[in-house]
Amino acid sequence: MDQVTQAAINSDRQWRWLMELAEFGAIPDNGVNRQALTALDRAARRQLIEWASEIGATVSIDEAANLWLRVEGSDPTAAPVLTGSHMDSQPKGGRFDGAYGVIAGLEAITAMHQAGIVTKRPIEVVAWTNEEGSRFAPGCTGSMSWCGFKPVHEWDDVKDADGIFYGAALATQLGFESDIPRRPLGGPVHAYVEAHIEQGPLLESEGLDIGVVTGIQGSRWFTVTIEGESAHAGTAPLSLRRDAMLDAVRAIQALSDAMADPDDVLRFTVGRIAVSPNSSNSVADRVTFSIDLRHPNADILTARGALIPSVIQSAMTVCDARLVENFTAMPTDFHPLVIAAVEHAAKATGHSIKHMASGAFHDAQFASRVAPAGMIFVPSHKGISHNPAEYTSPAQLAAGTQVLMHTLLRLANS
Ligand SMILES: [Zn+2]
Protein backbone atom coordinates (compact mmCIF):
# COMPACT_ATOMS: atom_id res chain seq x y z
CA MET A 1 0.00 0.00 0.00
CA ASP A 2 1.25 3.49 -0.75
CA GLN A 3 1.09 6.31 1.75
CA VAL A 4 -2.08 7.75 0.24
CA THR A 5 -4.11 4.68 1.11
CA GLN A 6 -2.47 3.97 4.46
CA ALA A 7 -3.51 7.04 6.43
CA ALA A 8 -7.11 7.92 7.18
CA ILE A 9 -8.53 11.11 8.59
CA ASN A 10 -10.63 10.54 11.71
CA SER A 11 -13.64 12.78 11.13
CA ASP A 12 -15.11 12.18 14.61
CA ARG A 13 -11.88 13.09 16.37
CA GLN A 14 -11.45 16.23 14.25
CA TRP A 15 -15.03 17.33 14.98
CA ARG A 16 -14.61 16.63 18.71
CA TRP A 17 -11.39 18.70 18.78
CA LEU A 18 -13.10 21.57 16.98
CA MET A 19 -16.07 21.51 19.35
CA GLU A 20 -13.80 21.34 22.42
CA LEU A 21 -11.72 24.23 21.10
CA ALA A 22 -14.92 26.25 20.60
CA GLU A 23 -15.59 25.96 24.36
CA PHE A 24 -12.73 28.41 24.91
CA GLY A 25 -14.61 31.67 24.52
CA ALA A 26 -18.00 30.13 23.74
CA ILE A 27 -20.83 32.68 23.31
CA PRO A 28 -24.55 32.03 22.62
CA ASP A 29 -25.77 30.32 19.43
CA ASN A 30 -22.54 28.31 18.90
CA GLY A 31 -20.44 31.46 18.63
CA VAL A 32 -16.87 32.03 19.75
CA ASN A 33 -15.24 35.16 21.15
CA ARG A 34 -11.56 34.31 21.61
CA GLN A 35 -9.46 37.41 21.13
CA ALA A 36 -5.75 37.30 20.41
CA LEU A 37 -3.29 37.36 23.33
CA THR A 38 -5.94 36.85 26.04
CA ALA A 39 -6.17 34.25 28.82
CA LEU A 40 -8.74 32.38 26.69
CA ASP A 41 -6.33 32.32 23.76
CA ARG A 42 -3.61 30.93 26.03
CA ALA A 43 -5.95 28.26 27.45
CA ALA A 44 -6.91 27.15 23.95
CA ARG A 45 -3.23 26.97 22.99
CA ARG A 46 -2.48 24.79 26.05
CA GLN A 47 -5.26 22.45 24.93
CA LEU A 48 -3.77 22.26 21.45
CA ILE A 49 -0.34 21.48 22.92
CA GLU A 50 -1.87 18.69 25.01
CA TRP A 51 -3.44 17.07 21.95
CA ALA A 52 -0.20 17.42 19.97
CA SER A 53 1.83 15.83 22.78
CA GLU A 54 -0.09 12.58 22.25
CA ILE A 55 1.84 12.04 19.02
CA GLY A 56 5.12 13.37 20.39
CA ALA A 57 5.10 16.60 18.37
CA THR A 58 7.74 19.14 19.41
CA VAL A 59 6.24 22.43 20.58
CA SER A 60 7.85 25.87 20.29
CA ILE A 61 6.92 29.55 20.05
CA ASP A 62 8.62 32.48 18.38
CA GLU A 63 9.03 36.13 19.35
CA ALA A 64 5.65 37.01 17.79
CA ALA A 65 4.00 34.25 19.89
CA ASN A 66 3.21 32.12 16.86
CA LEU A 67 2.82 28.56 18.18
CA TRP A 68 4.53 25.66 16.36
CA LEU A 69 3.99 21.89 16.46
CA ARG A 70 6.60 19.86 14.61
CA VAL A 71 6.97 16.25 13.54
CA GLU A 72 10.39 15.23 12.24
CA GLY A 73 11.04 13.81 8.80
CA SER A 74 13.58 11.20 7.77
CA ASP A 75 15.96 13.81 6.35
CA PRO A 76 17.15 16.01 9.23
CA THR A 77 18.57 18.63 6.84
CA ALA A 78 15.41 19.10 4.75
CA ALA A 79 13.36 22.30 5.00
CA PRO A 80 9.94 21.69 6.54
CA VAL A 81 6.49 21.87 4.98
CA LEU A 82 4.20 24.19 6.97
CA THR A 83 0.47 24.12 7.48
CA GLY A 84 -1.84 25.89 9.93
CA SER A 85 -3.98 28.97 10.42
CA HIS A 86 -5.05 31.07 13.42
CA MET A 87 -6.91 30.42 16.68
CA ASP A 88 -8.15 33.94 17.48
CA SER A 89 -11.71 34.87 16.51
CA GLN A 90 -13.85 37.89 15.80
CA PRO A 91 -15.83 39.23 18.83
CA LYS A 92 -18.94 37.50 17.45
CA GLY A 93 -17.16 34.79 15.52
CA GLY A 94 -17.88 31.18 14.71
CA ARG A 95 -16.26 27.83 15.46
CA PHE A 96 -14.40 27.28 12.20
CA ASP A 97 -12.70 30.45 10.93
CA GLY A 98 -9.02 29.84 11.64
CA ALA A 99 -9.57 27.05 14.16
CA TYR A 100 -10.30 24.64 11.32
CA GLY A 101 -6.93 25.16 9.63
CA VAL A 102 -5.04 24.51 12.86
CA ILE A 103 -7.09 21.45 13.83
CA ALA A 104 -6.95 20.11 10.26
CA GLY A 105 -3.15 20.33 10.45
CA LEU A 106 -3.14 18.51 13.78
CA GLU A 107 -5.55 15.85 12.47
CA ALA A 108 -3.41 15.35 9.36
CA ILE A 109 -0.17 14.80 11.32
CA THR A 110 -2.00 12.62 13.85
CA ALA A 111 -3.49 10.40 11.13
CA MET A 112 -0.06 10.09 9.49
CA HIS A 113 1.56 9.27 12.82
CA GLN A 114 -1.00 6.56 13.54
CA ALA A 115 -0.43 5.05 10.10
CA GLY A 116 3.30 4.94 10.82
CA ILE A 117 4.12 7.37 8.03
CA VAL A 118 7.37 9.32 8.19
CA THR A 119 7.80 11.86 5.42
CA LYS A 120 11.17 12.96 4.10
CA ARG A 121 10.71 16.53 5.25
CA PRO A 122 9.51 17.63 8.69
CA ILE A 123 5.93 18.90 8.89
CA GLU A 124 5.07 21.86 11.11
CA VAL A 125 1.62 23.06 12.18
CA VAL A 126 1.48 26.75 13.08
CA ALA A 127 -1.14 28.77 14.97
CA TRP A 128 -0.46 32.36 13.89
CA THR A 129 -0.91 35.22 16.37
CA ASN A 130 -3.65 37.84 15.88
CA GLU A 131 -4.88 37.08 12.38
CA GLU A 132 -8.27 38.73 12.89
CA GLY A 133 -7.10 42.17 13.93
CA SER A 134 -10.30 42.66 15.92
CA ARG A 135 -8.58 43.29 19.26
CA PHE A 136 -5.42 44.80 17.81
CA ALA A 137 -5.58 46.19 14.26
CA PRO A 138 -4.28 45.29 11.78
CA GLY A 139 -4.60 41.53 11.52
CA CYS A 140 -1.93 39.00 10.52
CA THR A 141 0.65 40.56 12.86
CA GLY A 142 2.07 37.11 13.67
CA SER A 143 2.62 36.07 10.07
CA MET A 144 3.83 39.57 9.05
CA SER A 145 6.49 39.38 11.78
CA TRP A 146 7.44 35.82 10.98
CA CYS A 147 8.04 36.48 7.27
CA GLY A 148 10.01 39.66 7.97
CA PHE A 149 7.51 41.96 6.25
CA LYS A 150 7.27 44.02 9.48
CA PRO A 151 9.29 43.97 12.71
CA VAL A 152 7.69 42.28 15.73
CA HIS A 153 7.52 45.60 17.59
CA GLU A 154 5.85 47.47 14.72
CA TRP A 155 2.50 47.50 16.55
CA ASP A 156 3.69 47.88 20.17
CA ASP A 157 1.72 51.14 20.56
CA VAL A 158 -1.55 49.83 19.11
CA LYS A 159 -4.19 49.85 21.86
CA ASP A 160 -7.20 47.57 22.32
CA ALA A 161 -10.60 48.87 23.47
CA ASP A 162 -9.47 48.67 27.12
CA GLY A 163 -6.33 50.70 26.48
CA ILE A 164 -3.96 47.71 26.63
CA PHE A 165 -1.01 47.97 24.24
CA TYR A 166 -0.20 45.21 21.75
CA GLY A 167 3.42 45.25 22.94
CA ALA A 168 2.33 44.69 26.54
CA ALA A 169 -0.16 41.96 25.63
CA LEU A 170 2.50 40.18 23.56
CA ALA A 171 5.00 40.39 26.45
CA THR A 172 2.37 38.99 28.83
CA GLN A 173 1.70 36.10 26.49
CA LEU A 174 5.40 35.29 26.11
CA GLY A 175 5.76 35.49 29.90
CA PHE A 176 2.95 32.99 30.49
CA GLU A 177 4.46 30.71 27.85
CA SER A 178 8.09 31.04 28.98
CA ASP A 179 8.15 27.29 29.68
CA ILE A 180 7.72 26.63 25.93
CA PRO A 181 11.01 26.53 23.97
CA ARG A 182 11.71 29.53 21.73
CA ARG A 183 12.51 29.33 18.05
CA PRO A 184 13.68 32.06 15.70
CA LEU A 185 11.32 33.84 13.31
CA GLY A 186 11.37 32.77 9.67
CA GLY A 187 13.70 30.08 8.45
CA PRO A 188 13.97 27.99 5.32
CA VAL A 189 10.59 26.59 4.33
CA HIS A 190 9.83 24.20 1.50
CA ALA A 191 6.13 25.11 1.18
CA TYR A 192 3.12 26.43 3.10
CA VAL A 193 -0.46 25.22 2.71
CA GLU A 194 -3.40 26.51 4.78
CA ALA A 195 -6.83 24.94 5.07
CA HIS A 196 -9.69 27.38 5.74
CA ILE A 197 -13.44 27.69 5.40
CA GLU A 198 -14.39 29.56 2.22
CA GLN A 199 -16.31 32.34 4.03
CA GLY A 200 -18.27 32.78 0.82
CA PRO A 201 -21.14 30.87 -0.84
CA LEU A 202 -19.56 29.58 -4.08
CA LEU A 203 -18.54 26.00 -3.21
CA GLU A 204 -21.86 25.23 -1.53
CA SER A 205 -23.98 26.78 -4.26
CA GLU A 206 -22.10 24.84 -6.93
CA GLY A 207 -22.14 21.61 -4.92
CA LEU A 208 -18.34 21.27 -4.88
CA ASP A 209 -16.06 19.83 -2.18
CA ILE A 210 -12.79 21.72 -2.37
CA GLY A 211 -11.62 25.17 -3.35
CA VAL A 212 -8.15 25.18 -4.88
CA VAL A 213 -7.19 28.72 -3.99
CA THR A 214 -5.18 30.44 -6.69
CA GLY A 215 -4.55 33.73 -4.91
CA ILE A 216 -5.84 36.42 -2.57
CA GLN A 217 -7.06 39.87 -3.48
CA GLY A 218 -5.13 42.80 -2.04
CA SER A 219 -6.33 44.81 0.97
CA ARG A 220 -5.48 48.32 2.15
CA TRP A 221 -6.74 49.74 5.45
CA PHE A 222 -6.69 53.45 6.23
CA THR A 223 -7.71 55.60 9.17
CA VAL A 224 -9.02 59.10 8.43
CA THR A 225 -9.14 61.77 11.13
CA ILE A 226 -11.12 64.96 10.55
CA GLU A 227 -10.28 67.76 12.99
CA GLY A 228 -12.76 70.61 13.61
CA GLU A 229 -13.75 72.52 16.71
CA SER A 230 -16.28 71.74 19.41
CA ALA A 231 -19.07 74.25 20.00
CA HIS A 232 -22.49 74.56 21.66
CA ALA A 233 -25.25 73.16 19.43
CA GLY A 234 -27.67 75.88 20.57
CA THR A 235 -25.53 78.97 20.43
CA ALA A 236 -22.83 78.59 17.77
CA PRO A 237 -24.00 80.01 14.39
CA LEU A 238 -23.54 77.55 11.52
CA SER A 239 -21.42 80.04 9.63
CA LEU A 240 -18.80 80.07 12.40
CA ARG A 241 -18.64 76.34 13.02
CA ARG A 242 -15.87 73.91 12.11
CA ASP A 243 -18.10 70.84 12.21
CA ALA A 244 -16.01 67.67 11.85
CA MET A 245 -19.13 65.55 11.39
CA LEU A 246 -20.31 67.41 8.30
CA ASP A 247 -16.89 67.33 6.63
CA ALA A 248 -16.57 63.62 7.46
CA VAL A 249 -19.93 62.93 5.82
CA ARG A 250 -18.81 64.88 2.72
CA ALA A 251 -15.54 62.94 2.63
CA ILE A 252 -17.23 59.53 2.91
CA GLN A 253 -19.72 60.41 0.17
CA ALA A 254 -16.95 61.72 -2.11
CA LEU A 255 -14.89 58.57 -1.51
CA SER A 256 -17.87 56.35 -2.23
CA ASP A 257 -18.36 58.16 -5.57
CA ALA A 258 -14.65 57.97 -6.42
CA MET A 259 -14.51 54.24 -5.67
CA ALA A 260 -17.45 53.33 -7.89
CA ASP A 261 -16.61 50.35 -10.08
CA PRO A 262 -18.84 49.40 -13.04
CA ASP A 263 -17.45 45.84 -12.86
CA ASP A 264 -18.32 45.60 -9.13
CA VAL A 265 -14.94 44.04 -8.33
CA LEU A 266 -13.50 46.83 -6.16
CA ARG A 267 -14.51 46.58 -2.50
CA PHE A 268 -14.78 49.88 -0.61
CA THR A 269 -16.03 49.92 2.99
CA VAL A 270 -16.28 52.52 5.73
CA GLY A 271 -17.23 50.25 8.61
CA ARG A 272 -16.17 52.16 11.71
CA ILE A 273 -16.67 55.74 12.80
CA ALA A 274 -15.86 57.48 16.08
CA VAL A 275 -17.11 60.94 17.00
CA SER A 276 -15.74 63.29 19.65
CA PRO A 277 -17.15 64.42 21.98
CA ASN A 278 -20.08 62.25 20.79
CA SER A 279 -22.66 64.43 22.46
CA SER A 280 -26.05 65.21 20.91
CA ASN A 281 -25.82 68.91 21.75
CA SER A 282 -22.18 69.54 20.83
CA VAL A 283 -20.63 70.21 17.44
CA ALA A 284 -18.11 67.40 16.77
CA ASP A 285 -14.47 68.47 17.03
CA ARG A 286 -13.08 65.19 15.74
CA VAL A 287 -14.37 62.33 13.59
CA THR A 288 -12.28 59.26 12.84
CA PHE A 289 -13.34 56.66 10.30
CA SER A 290 -11.86 53.56 8.70
CA ILE A 291 -11.46 52.67 5.02
CA ASP A 292 -11.12 49.07 3.85
CA LEU A 293 -10.19 48.90 0.14
CA ARG A 294 -9.70 45.62 -1.76
CA HIS A 295 -9.04 44.52 -5.32
CA PRO A 296 -7.38 41.46 -6.93
CA ASN A 297 -5.33 43.63 -9.34
CA ALA A 298 -2.27 45.33 -7.83
CA ASP A 299 -2.24 48.23 -10.31
CA ILE A 300 -5.89 49.05 -9.73
CA LEU A 301 -5.52 48.75 -5.95
CA THR A 302 -2.53 51.09 -6.05
CA ALA A 303 -4.22 53.60 -8.37
CA ARG A 304 -7.51 53.74 -6.45
CA GLY A 305 -5.69 53.99 -3.13
CA ALA A 306 -3.63 56.88 -4.50
CA LEU A 307 -6.84 58.87 -5.13
CA ILE A 308 -7.90 58.77 -1.48
CA PRO A 309 -5.84 61.71 -0.08
CA SER A 310 -6.97 64.20 -2.75
CA VAL A 311 -10.62 63.08 -2.63
CA ILE A 312 -10.69 63.62 1.12
CA GLN A 313 -8.84 66.94 0.84
CA SER A 314 -11.26 68.35 -1.70
CA ALA A 315 -14.23 67.34 0.46
CA MET A 316 -13.03 69.50 3.36
CA THR A 317 -14.81 72.85 3.75
CA VAL A 318 -13.62 74.07 7.16
CA CYS A 319 -11.80 71.15 8.79
CA ASP A 320 -8.37 69.51 8.53
CA ALA A 321 -7.96 65.89 7.48
CA ARG A 322 -5.24 63.38 8.23
CA LEU A 323 -4.85 59.99 6.56
CA VAL A 324 -2.83 57.01 7.83
CA GLU A 325 -2.46 53.69 6.01
CA ASN A 326 -2.47 50.99 8.69
CA PHE A 327 -2.33 47.82 6.66
CA THR A 328 -1.25 46.87 3.17
CA ALA A 329 -1.41 43.39 1.70
CA MET A 330 -0.95 43.49 -2.05
CA PRO A 331 -2.67 40.83 -4.16
CA THR A 332 -1.02 37.42 -3.95
CA ASP A 333 -0.76 34.70 -6.58
CA PHE A 334 -0.23 31.33 -4.99
CA HIS A 335 2.62 29.09 -6.15
CA PRO A 336 2.12 26.53 -8.95
CA LEU A 337 3.91 23.89 -6.85
CA VAL A 338 1.30 24.10 -4.08
CA ILE A 339 -1.67 24.59 -6.40
CA ALA A 340 -0.66 21.45 -8.31
CA ALA A 341 -0.18 19.48 -5.09
CA VAL A 342 -3.69 20.44 -3.89
CA GLU A 343 -5.22 19.56 -7.27
CA HIS A 344 -3.44 16.22 -7.28
CA ALA A 345 -4.52 15.46 -3.70
CA ALA A 346 -8.15 16.28 -4.45
CA LYS A 347 -8.10 14.05 -7.52
CA ALA A 348 -6.42 11.19 -5.63
CA THR A 349 -9.09 11.34 -2.92
CA GLY A 350 -12.02 11.67 -5.33
CA HIS A 351 -13.12 15.20 -4.46
CA SER A 352 -14.56 17.80 -6.83
CA ILE A 353 -12.67 21.09 -7.07
CA LYS A 354 -13.10 24.70 -8.03
CA HIS A 355 -10.24 27.09 -8.73
CA MET A 356 -10.97 30.31 -6.91
CA ALA A 357 -9.43 33.48 -5.50
CA SER A 358 -9.94 34.46 -1.87
CA GLY A 359 -11.79 37.68 -1.08
CA ALA A 360 -10.65 37.64 2.54
CA PHE A 361 -7.01 38.02 3.52
CA HIS A 362 -5.20 35.19 5.28
CA ASP A 363 -1.82 34.48 6.86
CA ALA A 364 -0.96 32.58 3.67
CA GLN A 365 -0.66 35.99 1.98
CA PHE A 366 2.38 36.73 4.14
CA ALA A 367 3.76 33.19 4.26
CA SER A 368 3.85 33.38 0.46
CA ARG A 369 6.50 36.10 0.71
CA VAL A 370 9.07 33.53 1.88
CA ALA A 371 7.77 30.17 0.66
CA PRO A 372 5.72 28.67 -2.13
CA ALA A 373 2.22 28.90 -0.64
CA GLY A 374 -1.35 27.87 -1.30
CA MET A 375 -4.70 27.29 0.37
CA ILE A 376 -7.49 24.73 0.50
CA PHE A 377 -11.08 25.95 1.00
CA VAL A 378 -14.00 23.90 2.28
CA PRO A 379 -17.63 25.05 1.80
CA SER A 380 -19.23 27.58 4.17
CA HIS A 381 -22.98 27.10 4.68
CA LYS A 382 -24.68 30.08 2.96
CA GLY A 383 -21.29 31.77 2.91
CA ILE A 384 -21.81 32.93 6.51
CA SER A 385 -18.64 33.86 8.43
CA HIS A 386 -17.54 36.20 11.24
CA ASN A 387 -20.85 35.12 12.77
CA PRO A 388 -21.90 32.43 15.30
CA ALA A 389 -23.97 30.79 12.52
CA GLU A 390 -20.79 29.88 10.58
CA TYR A 391 -21.12 26.18 9.64
CA THR A 392 -19.36 23.46 7.68
CA SER A 393 -20.42 19.82 8.15
CA PRO A 394 -18.10 17.24 9.74
CA ALA A 395 -17.92 15.38 6.41
CA GLN A 396 -17.01 18.53 4.46
CA LEU A 397 -14.31 19.37 7.01
CA ALA A 398 -12.97 15.81 6.86
CA ALA A 399 -12.80 16.00 3.06
CA GLY A 400 -10.73 19.17 3.32
CA THR A 401 -8.40 17.56 5.82
CA GLN A 402 -8.02 14.49 3.65
CA VAL A 403 -6.94 16.74 0.80
CA LEU A 404 -4.66 18.66 3.16
CA MET A 405 -2.99 15.46 4.38
CA HIS A 406 -2.34 14.21 0.87
CA THR A 407 -1.03 17.63 -0.13
CA LEU A 408 1.35 17.55 2.83
CA LEU A 409 2.49 14.03 1.97
CA ARG A 410 3.23 15.05 -1.58
CA LEU A 411 5.09 18.23 -0.64
CA ALA A 412 6.96 16.64 2.26
CA ASN A 413 8.22 13.74 0.17
CA SER A 414 9.46 15.92 -2.68
ZN1 LIG B 1 -9.51 33.13 9.25
Side-chain angles (χ1 to χ4, degrees):
M1 254 196 309
D2 66 5
Q3 293 194 330
V4 169
T5 45
Q6 271 171 354
I9 293 303
N10 184 331
S11 176
D12 292 342
R13 173 175 57 204
Q14 171 169 271
W15 183 258
R16 179 166 46 79
W17 279 343
L18 274 166
M19 293 307 106
E20 287 184 33
L21 202 61
E23 295 293 316
F24 297 93
I27 57 173
D29 304 319
N30 294 322
V32 175
N33 177 10
R34 189 170 56 242
Q35 300 293 304
L37 305 174
T38 58
L40 275 172
D41 183 20
R42 288 190 282 280
R45 287 155 67 99
R46 291 289 176 182
Q47 177 64 78
L48 183 77
I49 291 169
E50 197 182 310
W51 291 328
S53 72
E54 285 165 26
I55 57 163
T58 313
V59 180
S60 58
I61 56 171
D62 61 35
E63 218 186 320
N66 300 308
L67 174 65
W68 300 83
L69 316 171
R70 175 183 169 105
V71 287
E72 296 302 332
S74 60
D75 179 353
T77 64
V81 173
L82 310 188
T83 187
S85 193
H86 59 96
M87 287 166 64
D88 63 322
S89 79
Q90 288 286 324
K92 285 189 177 172
R95 297 171 288 179
F96 306 100
D97 177 1
Y100 170 59
V102 176
I103 293 297
L106 178 64
E107 174 56 37
I109 58 172
T110 301
M112 285 190 254
H113 174 82
Q114 291 182 340
I117 293 171
V118 177
T119 52
K120 179 185 135 199
R121 298 176 179 281
I123 297 177
E124 298 188 328
V125 179
V126 57
W128 301 108
T129 300
N130 185 39
E131 190 272 348
E132 294 289 1
S134 48
R135 182 182 177 200
F136 296 108
C140 294
T141 54
S143 51
M144 279 197 271
S145 302
W146 175 80
C147 77
F149 180 54
K150 298 278 181 183
V152 176
H153 297 289
E154 174 82 9
W155 311 278
D156 277 3
D157 296 338
V158 173
K159 271 193 261 183
D160 72 2
D162 298 324
I164 297 169
F165 288 107
Y166 178 82
L170 180 60
T172 301
Q173 182 103 347
L174 295 174
F176 272 107
E177 296 183 343
S178 58
D179 59 312
I180 302 173
R182 283 289 186 94
R183 61 184 274 149
L185 294 165
V189 174
H190 180 65
Y192 174 85
V193 56
E194 176 171 352
H196 205 281
I197 58 168
E198 182 197 339
Q199 303 179 280
L202 299 180
L203 289 172
E204 182 182 73
S205 65
E206 295 176 34
L208 299 170
D209 304 322
I210 298 294
V212 179
V213 187
T214 52
I216 302 184
Q217 72 173 340
S219 306
R220 299 178 72 179
W221 289 3
F222 303 85
T223 300
V224 183
T225 305
I226 312 288
E227 299 277 4
E229 203 175 283
S230 194
H232 192 293
T235 58
L238 268 60
S239 58
L240 298 181
R241 290 183 185 185
R242 293 180 64 225
D243 188 333
M245 180 67 95
L246 290 182
D247 270 0
V249 168
R250 284 185 198 97
I252 294 168
Q253 185 59 57
L255 285 166
S256 170
D257 294 344
M259 298 302 146
D261 175 11
D263 299 325
D264 202 12
V265 175
L266 188 83
R267 300 281 180 262
F268 166 78
T269 306
V270 174
R272 192 179 59 216
I273 187 160
V275 181
S276 161
N278 204 24
S279 161
S280 64
N281 55 353
S282 292
V283 174
D285 63 353
R286 189 187 318 117
V287 173
T288 306
F289 64 89
S290 60
I291 299 172
D292 180 318
L293 187 70
R294 306 188 193 207
H295 199 281
N297 179 294
D299 294 339
I300 295 175
L301 187 65
T302 301
R304 291 298 186 110
L307 291 176
I308 290 177
S310 60
V311 170
I312 293 173
Q313 211 45 58
S314 48
M316 294 299 105
T317 57
V318 285
C319 295
D320 301 316
R322 267 184 296 127
L323 177 73
V324 176
E325 183 159 4
N326 319 87
F327 176 66
T328 312
M330 292 314 273
T332 301
D333 291 325
F334 284 142
H335 198 284
L337 173 82
V338 181
I339 293 173
V342 175
E343 281 168 356
H344 188 274
K347 201 171 163 196
T349 55
H351 292 107
S352 54
I353 61 169
K354 176 183 179 65
H355 290 91
M356 58 199 303
S358 173
F361 62 77
H362 295 285
D363 293 301
Q365 212 157 347
F366 296 101
S368 76
R369 300 177 76 93
V370 291
M375 290 186 77
I376 298 168
F377 277 173
V378 292
S380 292
H381 183 49
K382 294 182 176 165
I384 296 169
S385 185
H386 289 187
N387 185 312
E390 196 174 80
Y391 184 75
T392 305
S393 74
Q396 289 171 318
L397 295 168
T401 307
Q402 223 182 356
V403 173
L404 174 67
M405 181 178 70
H406 293 153
T407 304
L408 293 172
L409 279 169
R410 190 176 178 82
L411 293 169
N413 282 325
S414 64

